[in-house]
Amino acid sequence: MAWRDFKQKVKRQMSDILEIPSDVVLDLPKVVILGNLQVFIENHRGIVEYTSETVRINVSEYVVVVKGENLLLRNILPEEISVDGKITGVFFE
Amino acid sequence: MFIFKLLSFLTGYVRIMVRGNNLEKFINMAAGRGIFLWDIKRLDSRNILVSARLSAVHPLRHIARATKCRFEFKDREGLPFLLSRARRRKSLLAGAAVFLLGMYMLSSFIWFVDIEGNKKITDGQILESASKAGLKKWVFKWNFTPSRVESVIKEDYPEISWAGVYVRGTRVKIQVAEKVIPGVRDEHPAHIVAAKAGLIKEILVLSGNPAVKEGDTVVPGQILISGIIPGPGLSIEGENNPGQERSGVMENTIVQAKGLVRARVWYEGYGEALLEEKITRLTGDEVSRVCMKIAGKEIILKGPKNIPFIESTGESQVKKPLQWRNISVPVELITEKYHETERYTEQRTRGQALALAEQRAMAQVSRVMPSGSRVMVREVKEVSVKNPENLVRISVFVETLEDIGVEKQFKP
């Protein structure tokens, strides 16, 4: 675990120095929220749960939870997901 | 997004209802294998609705089997399905093809030929000349060339200086410009005679022999400037030089008389106006009605049944369908319009009545007075009668200065 933390730290420093976007280097999800209409998640690891009120999406180390009404998965690609509907909240678990 | 929609329309897509307990796994597996799913909607706890490309249906079956889901097709959309539906309705396709072909055929004929700009040459002459070059009604558009038609028209009629042929859809416009040829001057012996009675004020002779003097009074038809100029040698000189001189000198010269004869001309006019007059006038209110007359029976299509005016004037337009020989369709469309009128008594003061009567009298005069004449004297007189009455009478007397000469031909 310590080794992994150390690796993360080095990576972060490298991306800061070289000014490379950290989502590329650190393998982080990119979450774009468009008003309360759309949530767009890049770099995901699949859906955990999907109902019309809640969408749970697995990203590298945690789960992104999108809450709302009438949620609809506009599209699903191996790398990206976009969720449409009346969004009330986005959480990380 | 539009490109994506167009692409999925062209390749065709299906709406699938997937039923199962582990739907998230189904979606993850599909996404993981690179199958593109969109518009995923949760219907209830066990069902979701998914859109997928036609080519993805087969792999989805395997995934469904692996995740213990079942699916059924709800909708089939896109071009491949439309085509297969159309294949079953052959006559519809044939109809569409016939329509397109007919449209193309009809639009490749010349339907109208318009001619513009001709004054002396008739439309028929130009059409005839154009038909020699292949342009007439009901020919195909590609059977003539506008530039050739132009040159043929110009060759046929030398008095046309320019011709243009424009094809606008099914209408051909032929524009021509005619040459302006100076006209031949009309030379014939003529007198100038008086058109109306008057007192000669001035006389200016350009050619001819003056027959009246300034200050003369003339009657209509009297010769003012004569076209016959008498030979000067009727006197002693003729006697002194007999022989060869006489024949030349004796003869009268005959010309076309020209000149200007201004005379004072009188006109009289009379007008009257009532002090109290009953007139009907329009109130501005109107009602229109559309009826259809079928075999003698009128059916009101639009408008009131009864005309709501006490007094009204109406106008009606009747439209009849095509008539051929003695056969006609017994249907007429009648459009009626009623304008409300009202009676009303106009009270005039004496001054107003006088002004109106004078106006009427002057209108009477100006009807006979030529437009170019100059009014010299104008006298307005009220005609009074013994018994007082509800009427004013005005007579006007106008004296003008105008050209009274008109040309009159004669045979020498």
Side-chain angles (χ1 to χ4, degrees):
Chain A
M1 213 60 186
W3 171 242
R4 204 168 151 192
D5 286 348
F6 176 71
K7 227 164 81 178
Q8 284 280 342
K9 205 175 158 190
V10 172
K11 270 188 182 173
R12 176 163 296 192
Q13 279 170 351
M14 282 293 283
S15 76
D16 279 353
I17 292 160
L18 297 174
E19 291 188 341
I20 300 168
S22 43
D23 62 319
V24 177
V25 180
L26 299 173
D27 196 24
L28 293 174
K30 186 177 179 182
V31 181
V32 180
I33 304 172
L34 201 74
N36 66 343
L37 299 175
Q38 196 179 51
V39 177
F40 184 82
I41 299 159
E42 234 174 68
N43 206 359
H44 70 98
R45 297 266 184 279
I47 302 170
V48 178
E49 186 198 349
Y50 166 57
T51 63
S52 54
E53 284 82 37
T54 317
V55 181
R56 291 171 188 274
I57 296 156
N58 210 348
V59 294
S60 55
E61 281 169 14
Y62 36 82
V63 175
V64 177
V65 184
V66 181
K67 297 239 177 209
E69 295 165 24
N70 297 327
L71 295 180
L72 186 103
L73 302 180
R74 176 164 281 271
N75 55 27
I76 294 186
L77 289 170
E79 286 294 310
E80 60 183 61
I81 286 182
S82 88
V83 182
D84 272 24
K86 196 178 169 192
I87 285 144
T88 51
V90 178
F91 310 94
F92 293 92
E93 284 177 0
Chain B
M1 204 59 206
F2 173 74
I3 301 257
F4 160 74
K5 275 195 172 155
L6 188 73
L7 208 69
S8 51
F9 174 78
L10 288 176
T11 55
Y13 66 95
V14 285
R15 294 284 282 169
I16 310 168
M17 199 170 82
V18 188
R19 183 180 301 142
N21 291 323
N22 216 342
L23 294 167
E24 285 82 5
K25 201 175 171 193
F26 173 84
I27 295 169
N28 283 336
M29 244 172 123
R33 290 198 189 177
I35 295 165
F36 182 49
L37 302 176
W38 71 94
D39 284 356
I40 300 167
K41 197 179 174 191
R42 172 68 81 167
L43 294 176
D44 51 62
S45 59
R46 294 197 68 223
N47 291 307
I48 56 169
L49 205 59
V50 170
S51 287
R53 290 236 170 93
L54 211 51
S55 54
V57 171
H58 200 69
L60 277 180
R61 273 185 201 282
H62 289 281
I63 294 165
R65 201 170 298 145
T67 56
K68 294 193 176 79
C69 293
R70 310 181 119 257
F71 62 76
E72 58 183 275
F73 296 101
K74 282 286 171 193
D75 263 321
R76 297 160 173 85
E77 278 166 68
L79 199 62
F81 295 112
L82 276 179
L83 281 178
S84 70
R85 245 170 270 164
R87 221 168 283 142
R88 264 175 275 149
R89 305 178 63 180
K90 288 221 171 57
S91 53
L92 184 75
L93 274 180
V98 166
F99 169 75
L100 285 176
L101 196 74
M103 195 81 167
Y104 178 71
M105 288 287 283
L106 289 176
S107 66
S108 56
F109 284 122
I110 298 298
W111 284 64
F112 308 101
V113 180
D114 293 346
I115 295 167
E116 274 179 16
N118 53 331
K119 291 190 189 83
K120 283 179 202 137
I121 301 168
T122 59
D123 287 4
Q125 282 174 303
I126 292 172
L127 281 178
E128 198 181 307
S129 148
S131 68
K132 270 200 287 180
L135 165 61
K136 55 184 156 186
K137 259 192 186 181
W138 312 119
V139 296
F140 275 112
K141 263 188 203 171
W142 47 80
N143 280 358
F144 69 93
T145 45
S147 56
R148 213 182 103 66
V149 178
E150 281 169 18
S151 60
V152 165
I153 290 174
K154 268 189 281 182
E155 272 166 32
D156 281 3
Y157 299 100
E159 55 268 51
I160 288 177
S161 60
W162 174 84
V165 176
Y166 307 103
V167 183
R168 299 237 192 294
T170 57
R171 182 182 289 269
V172 173
K173 200 164 86 178
I174 301 179
Q175 268 188 325
V176 295
E178 286 181 13
K179 284 176 191 162
V180 180
I181 298 162
V184 239
R185 205 191 286 168
D186 195 18
E187 283 278 6
H188 51 80
H191 298 303
I192 293 226
V193 299
K196 49 184 93 167
L199 181 73
I200 305 294
K201 186 81 179 158
E202 52 184 344
I203 177 161
L204 175 73
V205 181
L206 298 174
S207 78
N209 191 30
V212 288
K213 295 195 302 297
E214 284 168 13
D216 283 359
T217 312
V218 294
V219 290
Q222 188 180 341
I223 294 172
L224 301 174
I225 302 169
S226 170
I228 304 167
I229 305 171
L234 274 175
S235 53
I236 324 124
E237 292 156 59
E239 286 163 15
N240 289 352
N241 307 326
Q244 97 281 26
E245 283 261 331
R246 176 168 285 194
S247 62
V249 172
M250 277 296 287
E251 231 168 74
N252 295 336
T253 324
I254 290 171
V255 295
Q256 182 185 18
K258 274 183 208 136
L260 201 65
V261 183
R262 283 228 178 87
R264 290 161 75 162
V265 183
W266 299 274
Y267 298 99
E268 269 179 68
Y270 171 76
E272 53 187 33
L274 286 163
L275 285 173
E276 197 182 288
E277 195 174 1
K278 283 203 176 71
I279 48 177
T280 55
R281 63 174 178 189
L282 298 172
T283 58
D285 207 356
E286 59 177 38
V287 154
S288 57
R289 189 160 77 171
V290 181
C291 304
M292 189 175 246
K293 196 173 181 181
I294 302 170
K297 278 182 189 167
E298 275 193 19
I299 298 163
I300 298 169
L301 297 179
K302 207 181 105 188
K305 196 176 175 190
N306 299 315
I307 302 303
F309 306 137
I310 302 160
E311 284 178 0
S312 60
T313 58
E315 55 198 68
S316 67
Q317 266 185 322
V318 181
K319 265 187 206 159
K320 280 186 182 177
L322 283 176
Q323 213 166 352
W324 183 74
R325 296 263 176 116
N326 246 349
I327 304 159
S328 66
V329 186
V331 177
E332 286 174 14
L333 190 73
I334 304 169
T335 314
E336 288 169 326
K337 216 172 196 181
Y338 295 92
H339 306 279
E340 190 185 16
T341 57
E342 64 173 6
R343 276 189 205 187
Y344 120 109
T345 317
E346 169 116 47
Q347 297 279 356
R348 295 189 185 96
T349 63
R350 200 167 169 74
Q352 281 173 330
L354 282 172
L356 186 66
E358 190 189 329
Q359 206 184 332
R360 284 176 184 168
M362 279 309 290
Q364 197 186 31
V365 170
S366 58
R367 258 203 300 278
V368 283
M369 210 160 68
S371 56
S373 53
R374 204 165 75 209
V375 176
M376 306 292 284
V377 181
R378 196 175 109 171
E379 278 174 30
V380 181
K381 213 161 62 188
E382 192 186 342
V383 183
S384 43
V385 286
K386 277 176 195 159
N387 306 331
E389 55 178 356
N390 182 23
L391 190 71
V392 282
R393 300 159 192 269
I394 287 282
S395 76
V396 290
F397 172 80
V398 177
E399 188 182 313
T400 62
L401 189 65
E402 62 186 77
D403 187 5
I404 59 164
V406 287
E407 206 179 75
K408 190 188 173 192
Q409 295 182 22
F410 70 97
K411 286 222 172 72

